[in-house]
Amino acid sequence: MRLCFLVEEQYRHDGMPLEVIHQLRAWGHQVDVLWPGRSLIRISEAIRAGSHDAWVLKTVSGGPGLTLLEAAASVGLTTVNDVRAIRGVRDKALAAVIARTKGLPVPVTYAAARPEEFAEIAEAEFPLVVKPADGSSGRAVRLVATPDRLLEPGGPDGSAGGLLIAQPYVPNSGTDLKVYSVAGELYATERCSPLHPAHAVRERQVPLTPEVARITAEIGAVFGLDLYGVDILLGPDGPVVVDINDFPSFRQVPDAVARVSAAVLGLARQGAREAFATGQTGATVTPPPPFTAPSVPRPTRPAASIGGGR
C-alpha cells in the first residue's frame, strides 16, 4: 500500500508515529511523509493525484495538518482516523457537548473567551479545571481553587483569541487512567495527573474494568474513532471522562508500534474498499485485496478484559 503521513513539527522526533512509519516501510509499504509546519506542500496537486491509499494524521490541536487531511477527505480519499471524528474531539468544548448529549460521564462544561468570565460560576462549583478548548498534551491546564484566583499568572489567559473551557474538579487520587483503543483492542495504563505533578506515579499497564471498557468503546462509537485515547478519572461517583485524543502516544501498550501499524493498514484497506464500492474516491482505483494483518504478538489475556497484566 501507499500511505501519506502528515506529521507536525512537535512530533518530528517522536516515536509515535515515526516508528510506525519505519515499521510500515519494513513491511514493504510505501510511506510518504509531509511536514505541514516546515515545508512547502503543493496541496492541490498532492491530493488531486489520489495516489495514496490513505492519509494519516499526527498533529497538535489547531495545527495545519488537519486542514490537509480534510482536503484529502473532501475528494473521497481515505483518512485515518475519519476526519469528521478528528474534528469532533480536537475541539474540547464540542467534544464535551457531544459526549454529554450521548450520556457519557463528562463533567459539566463552561466556555468563555477570557478566564475572568468564569467568575460568574457559583463558588460552590470550585475548584475548576481551566484549559484551552484546542489544547493538547496537558498544555496550560490549570486548577483554580477559588474565583479570585482566575487571573493568577501561569494559566490560560485567552489572549490568543481561542476559547477556554472550565469543568468542576473531580476529586481523585492524583493518578490518571489513560485507556487506548487500537482498532477495537483496549489497553489501560496509569500515569501522573498534570494537576498533581508532585504525586509520584509509575507509568504502567493496569487491568481494565468492564465499566471503563464499556465507556471507552462507547466513545469510539459516538465519535467514530478507531485509534484513540481517553483520559479517565476514578472519582467518588465512578469513572469520569476528562479528555479524548485521536492518534495518541499509545505508551505502555504492548508491541504498540506493530499493533498500531497493523491497525493503520487494516483501516486503510477498509476505507479503500468502501470508497471503491461507493465510487466516492477522487482517483481511479482498483479494489484492494482483502487485508491480512502482519503477525503481532497477542496480549496474555483477551484485550476486552485487560489492557494486559500488571
Side-chain angles (χ1 to χ4, degrees):
M1 300 195 78
R2 185 175 181 186
L3 306 168
C4 182
F5 273 68
L6 295 162
V7 182
E8 296 280 7
E9 183 71 10
Q10 177 174 325
Y11 301 107
R12 63 181 296 188
H13 301 300
D14 199 89
M16 190 66 67
L18 297 186
E19 292 178 14
V20 170
I21 292 170
H22 295 325
Q23 179 66 82
L24 291 168
R25 286 171 174 167
W27 283 343
H29 300 278
Q30 180 173 341
V31 182
D32 298 321
V33 182
L34 297 180
W35 308 89
R38 60 183 178 99
S39 60
L40 174 66
I41 300 171
R42 296 185 65 192
I43 178 173
S44 59
E45 300 308 305
I47 290 172
R48 188 176 67 174
S51 54
H52 294 95
D53 296 293
W55 289 56
V56 185
L57 176 66
K58 178 64 175 177
T59 182
V60 294
S61 294
L66 186 53
T67 296
L68 300 181
L69 199 74
E70 289 178 330
S74 72
V75 298
L77 301 180
T78 298
T79 65
V80 178
N81 290 280
D82 184 289
V83 72
R84 294 163 296 183
I86 296 174
R87 180 65 73 178
V89 297
R90 287 298 174 86
D91 184 328
K92 297 184 188 302
L94 174 60
V97 171
I98 294 172
R100 282 184 64 87
T101 299
K102 296 299 183 178
L104 290 163
V106 174
V108 171
T109 304
Y110 300 89
R114 298 174 301 173
E116 58 264 34
E117 293 169 359
F118 293 129
E120 297 181 25
I121 299 173
E123 188 166 0
E125 294 197 53
F126 283 74
L128 295 177
V129 177
V130 182
K131 55 189 173 183
D134 65 348
S136 59
S137 304
R139 175 178 59 86
V141 178
R142 180 183 171 200
L143 182 61
V144 181
T146 55
D148 60 298
R149 303 183 68 174
L150 283 165
L151 294 180
E152 287 185 351
D157 60 10
S159 61
L163 197 64
L164 300 173
I165 66 168
Q167 297 172 324
Y169 172 74
V170 178
N172 65 90
S173 66
T175 300
D176 283 0
L177 187 65
K178 184 80 171 188
V179 186
Y180 297 108
S181 175
V182 185
E185 290 190 347
L186 305 180
Y187 303 89
T189 67
E190 285 183 341
R191 69 176 185 182
C192 180
S193 167
L195 297 177
H196 301 282
H199 179 70
V201 176
R202 179 173 65 88
E203 263 193 42
R204 59 178 180 172
Q205 193 178 354
V206 296
L208 181 64
T209 67
E211 185 178 17
V212 170
R214 177 189 59 78
I215 291 170
T216 304
E218 191 172 346
I219 285 172
V222 165
F223 287 92
L225 292 164
D226 295 294
L227 298 172
Y228 63 98
V230 182
D231 289 0
I232 293 177
L233 297 177
L234 301 180
D237 298 319
V240 179
V241 176
V242 292
D243 203 6
I244 306 168
N245 301 284
D246 64 281
F247 211 123
S249 64
F250 299 102
R251 292 206 304 261
Q252 302 302 322
V253 171
D255 303 299
V257 172
R259 293 185 190 285
V260 173
S261 300
V264 167
L265 289 177
L267 294 167
R269 296 265 182 165
Q270 176 184 328
R273 285 197 300 271
E274 291 173 355
F276 179 83
T278 59
Q280 293 180 348
T281 177
T284 302
V285 299
T286 56
F291 172 64
T292 301
S295 177
V296 179
R298 304 297 299 171
T300 56
R301 294 158 61 192
S305 67
I306 58 162
R310 288 184 179 269

